[in-house]
Short mmCIF file of all heavy atoms in Angstrom, two decimals:
data_model
loop_
_atom_site.label_atom_id
_atom_site.label_comp_id
_atom_site.label_asym_id
_atom_site.label_seq_id
_atom_site.Cartn_x
_atom_site.Cartn_y
_atom_site.Cartn_z
N SER A 621 -14.82 -5.13 -3.29
CA SER A 621 -14.61 -4.23 -4.42
C SER A 621 -13.56 -3.28 -4.00
O SER A 621 -13.37 -2.92 -2.89
CB SER A 621 -15.90 -3.52 -4.59
OG SER A 621 -15.68 -2.33 -5.25
N PHE A 622 -12.78 -2.90 -4.94
CA PHE A 622 -11.68 -1.87 -4.84
C PHE A 622 -12.08 -0.56 -5.50
O PHE A 622 -11.33 0.24 -6.01
CB PHE A 622 -10.36 -2.37 -5.43
CG PHE A 622 -9.83 -3.59 -4.78
CD1 PHE A 622 -9.74 -4.78 -5.43
CD2 PHE A 622 -9.43 -3.62 -3.45
CE1 PHE A 622 -9.28 -5.92 -4.81
CE2 PHE A 622 -8.97 -4.69 -2.86
CZ PHE A 622 -8.79 -5.87 -3.52
N ALA A 623 -13.40 -0.26 -5.30
CA ALA A 623 -13.97 0.97 -6.04
C ALA A 623 -13.33 2.28 -5.59
O ALA A 623 -13.37 3.30 -6.29
CB ALA A 623 -15.48 1.05 -5.71
N ASP A 624 -12.76 2.35 -4.35
CA ASP A 624 -12.18 3.65 -3.97
C ASP A 624 -10.86 3.96 -4.67
O ASP A 624 -10.36 5.12 -4.70
CB ASP A 624 -11.85 3.60 -2.49
CG ASP A 624 -13.12 3.72 -1.70
OD1 ASP A 624 -14.21 3.92 -2.26
OD2 ASP A 624 -13.03 3.68 -0.41
N HIS A 625 -10.24 2.97 -5.43
CA HIS A 625 -9.15 3.32 -6.20
C HIS A 625 -9.56 4.04 -7.44
O HIS A 625 -10.67 3.78 -7.98
CB HIS A 625 -8.35 1.99 -6.63
CG HIS A 625 -7.46 1.55 -5.46
ND1 HIS A 625 -6.30 2.05 -5.17
CD2 HIS A 625 -7.67 0.36 -4.71
CE1 HIS A 625 -5.80 1.31 -4.21
NE2 HIS A 625 -6.63 0.37 -3.82
N THR A 626 -8.73 4.92 -8.04
CA THR A 626 -9.17 5.67 -9.18
C THR A 626 -8.66 5.04 -10.51
O THR A 626 -8.68 5.67 -11.50
CB THR A 626 -8.81 7.17 -9.14
OG1 THR A 626 -7.28 7.20 -8.94
CG2 THR A 626 -9.39 7.82 -7.94
N GLY A 627 -8.06 3.88 -10.38
CA GLY A 627 -7.39 3.17 -11.43
C GLY A 627 -7.38 1.79 -11.14
O GLY A 627 -7.83 1.25 -10.14
N PRO A 628 -6.81 0.94 -12.04
CA PRO A 628 -6.67 -0.50 -11.80
C PRO A 628 -5.81 -0.81 -10.53
O PRO A 628 -4.81 -0.10 -10.17
CB PRO A 628 -5.95 -1.04 -13.03
CG PRO A 628 -6.26 -0.07 -14.12
CD PRO A 628 -6.32 1.41 -13.32
N VAL A 629 -6.15 -1.94 -9.91
CA VAL A 629 -5.44 -2.40 -8.70
C VAL A 629 -4.35 -3.38 -9.31
O VAL A 629 -4.77 -4.28 -9.96
CB VAL A 629 -6.36 -3.01 -7.72
CG1 VAL A 629 -5.61 -3.76 -6.59
CG2 VAL A 629 -7.33 -1.93 -7.04
N ALA A 630 -3.10 -3.21 -8.82
CA ALA A 630 -2.01 -4.05 -9.33
C ALA A 630 -1.53 -4.92 -8.29
O ALA A 630 -0.84 -5.91 -8.61
CB ALA A 630 -0.98 -3.16 -9.95
N ALA A 631 -1.73 -4.68 -6.99
CA ALA A 631 -1.06 -5.41 -6.00
C ALA A 631 -1.96 -5.38 -4.69
O ALA A 631 -2.60 -4.44 -4.39
CB ALA A 631 0.27 -4.88 -5.51
N VAL A 632 -1.98 -6.59 -4.00
CA VAL A 632 -2.70 -6.77 -2.78
C VAL A 632 -1.90 -7.64 -1.81
O VAL A 632 -1.22 -8.47 -2.20
CB VAL A 632 -4.05 -7.51 -3.01
CG1 VAL A 632 -4.80 -7.80 -1.77
CG2 VAL A 632 -4.91 -6.74 -3.98
N VAL A 640 -4.37 -4.85 2.23
CA VAL A 640 -3.93 -3.48 1.68
C VAL A 640 -3.85 -3.67 0.12
O VAL A 640 -3.32 -4.66 -0.35
CB VAL A 640 -2.53 -2.97 2.25
CG1 VAL A 640 -2.19 -1.69 1.63
CG2 VAL A 640 -2.73 -2.91 3.78
N SER A 641 -4.40 -2.72 -0.59
CA SER A 641 -4.38 -2.74 -2.02
C SER A 641 -3.71 -1.48 -2.56
O SER A 641 -3.62 -0.49 -1.90
CB SER A 641 -5.75 -2.76 -2.60
OG SER A 641 -6.57 -1.74 -2.22
N ALA A 642 -3.15 -1.57 -3.79
CA ALA A 642 -2.38 -0.43 -4.39
C ALA A 642 -2.45 -0.68 -5.87
O ALA A 642 -2.68 -1.80 -6.36
CB ALA A 642 -0.96 -0.48 -3.91
N GLY A 643 -2.14 0.41 -6.58
CA GLY A 643 -2.20 0.25 -8.08
C GLY A 643 -1.94 1.54 -8.75
O GLY A 643 -1.04 2.42 -8.38
N ALA A 644 -2.64 1.81 -9.92
CA ALA A 644 -2.30 2.86 -10.79
C ALA A 644 -2.52 4.28 -10.23
O ALA A 644 -1.83 5.20 -10.68
CB ALA A 644 -3.24 2.74 -12.06
N ASP A 645 -3.34 4.38 -9.13
CA ASP A 645 -3.48 5.71 -8.51
C ASP A 645 -2.34 5.97 -7.56
O ASP A 645 -2.38 7.01 -6.89
CB ASP A 645 -4.79 5.77 -7.84
CG ASP A 645 -5.11 4.84 -6.76
OD1 ASP A 645 -4.15 4.03 -6.44
OD2 ASP A 645 -6.24 4.84 -6.20
N SER A 646 -1.34 5.11 -7.36
CA SER A 646 -0.16 5.26 -6.49
C SER A 646 -0.47 5.35 -5.05
O SER A 646 0.31 5.92 -4.26
CB SER A 646 0.74 6.37 -7.04
OG SER A 646 0.13 7.61 -6.83
N VAL A 647 -1.71 4.86 -4.59
CA VAL A 647 -2.11 5.01 -3.24
C VAL A 647 -2.30 3.62 -2.68
O VAL A 647 -2.80 2.75 -3.35
CB VAL A 647 -3.45 5.79 -3.21
CG1 VAL A 647 -3.99 5.86 -1.75
CG2 VAL A 647 -3.28 7.24 -3.67
N LEU A 648 -1.89 3.44 -1.39
CA LEU A 648 -2.21 2.17 -0.64
C LEU A 648 -3.44 2.44 0.11
O LEU A 648 -3.63 3.43 0.79
CB LEU A 648 -1.05 1.91 0.37
CG LEU A 648 0.17 1.20 -0.26
CD1 LEU A 648 1.00 2.10 -1.19
CD2 LEU A 648 1.06 0.72 0.85
N ARG A 649 -4.37 1.46 0.04
CA ARG A 649 -5.62 1.56 0.79
C ARG A 649 -5.91 0.35 1.62
O ARG A 649 -5.72 -0.78 1.16
CB ARG A 649 -6.85 1.70 -0.25
CG ARG A 649 -6.74 3.00 -1.10
CD ARG A 649 -7.97 3.15 -1.90
NE ARG A 649 -7.81 4.40 -2.74
CZ ARG A 649 -8.08 5.54 -2.26
NH1 ARG A 649 -8.52 5.85 -1.02
NH2 ARG A 649 -7.95 6.65 -3.10
N TRP A 651 -8.18 -2.29 3.86
CA TRP A 651 -9.57 -2.96 3.90
C TRP A 651 -9.58 -4.04 4.91
O TRP A 651 -8.63 -4.58 5.37
CB TRP A 651 -9.75 -3.63 2.44
CG TRP A 651 -9.52 -2.74 1.27
CD1 TRP A 651 -8.27 -2.51 0.68
CD2 TRP A 651 -10.45 -1.96 0.55
NE1 TRP A 651 -8.42 -1.67 -0.33
CE2 TRP A 651 -9.79 -1.30 -0.45
CE3 TRP A 651 -11.79 -1.84 0.76
CZ2 TRP A 651 -10.44 -0.37 -1.27
CZ3 TRP A 651 -12.51 -0.91 -0.12
CH2 TRP A 651 -11.81 -0.24 -1.16
N ASP A 668 4.30 7.38 -9.08
CA ASP A 668 3.78 6.58 -10.30
C ASP A 668 3.11 5.36 -9.76
O ASP A 668 3.09 5.05 -8.48
CB ASP A 668 5.01 6.22 -11.16
CG ASP A 668 4.53 5.95 -12.56
OD1 ASP A 668 3.42 5.72 -12.87
OD2 ASP A 668 5.46 6.02 -13.47
N GLU A 669 2.57 4.54 -10.64
CA GLU A 669 1.83 3.34 -10.31
C GLU A 669 2.52 2.40 -9.21
O GLU A 669 3.78 2.21 -9.45
CB GLU A 669 1.45 2.51 -11.54
CG GLU A 669 0.87 1.20 -11.33
CD GLU A 669 0.53 0.53 -12.59
OE1 GLU A 669 0.90 1.02 -13.65
OE2 GLU A 669 -0.13 -0.51 -12.49
N VAL A 670 1.88 1.88 -8.29
CA VAL A 670 2.44 0.81 -7.37
C VAL A 670 2.25 -0.51 -8.05
O VAL A 670 1.14 -0.83 -8.44
CB VAL A 670 1.78 0.95 -5.96
CG1 VAL A 670 2.35 -0.23 -5.11
CG2 VAL A 670 2.03 2.27 -5.30
N THR A 671 3.40 -1.15 -8.26
CA THR A 671 3.28 -2.43 -9.02
C THR A 671 3.52 -3.64 -8.11
O THR A 671 3.29 -4.69 -8.61
CB THR A 671 4.27 -2.42 -10.08
OG1 THR A 671 5.62 -2.22 -9.63
CG2 THR A 671 3.98 -1.31 -11.11
N ALA A 672 4.01 -3.44 -6.91
CA ALA A 672 4.30 -4.54 -5.97
C ALA A 672 4.02 -4.16 -4.56
O ALA A 672 4.28 -2.97 -4.22
CB ALA A 672 5.71 -5.01 -6.16
N LEU A 673 3.60 -5.16 -3.82
CA LEU A 673 3.20 -4.88 -2.37
C LEU A 673 3.44 -6.24 -1.71
O LEU A 673 2.94 -7.24 -2.06
CB LEU A 673 1.77 -4.39 -2.32
CG LEU A 673 1.20 -3.89 -0.97
CD1 LEU A 673 1.91 -2.68 -0.50
CD2 LEU A 673 -0.28 -3.54 -1.16
N GLY A 685 6.59 -1.38 -4.07
CA GLY A 685 7.40 -1.00 -5.15
C GLY A 685 6.60 -0.23 -6.24
O GLY A 685 5.50 -0.60 -6.47
N SER A 686 7.25 0.67 -6.90
CA SER A 686 6.52 1.59 -7.85
C SER A 686 7.25 1.74 -9.15
O SER A 686 8.47 1.62 -9.20
CB SER A 686 6.33 3.00 -7.20
OG SER A 686 5.81 3.90 -8.10
N ALA A 687 6.41 2.05 -10.17
CA ALA A 687 7.11 2.37 -11.47
C ALA A 687 7.91 3.64 -11.43
O ALA A 687 8.73 3.91 -12.33
CB ALA A 687 5.93 2.52 -12.53
#
Side-chain angles (χ1 to χ4, degrees):
S621 157
F622 295 115
D624 285 356
H625 283 283
T626 60
V629 171
V632 176
V640 178
S641 60
D645 59 4
S646 69
V647 175
L648 280 67
R649 295 189 181 277
W651 307 87
D668 204 342
E669 177 179 5
V670 176
T671 57
L673 190 60
S686 171

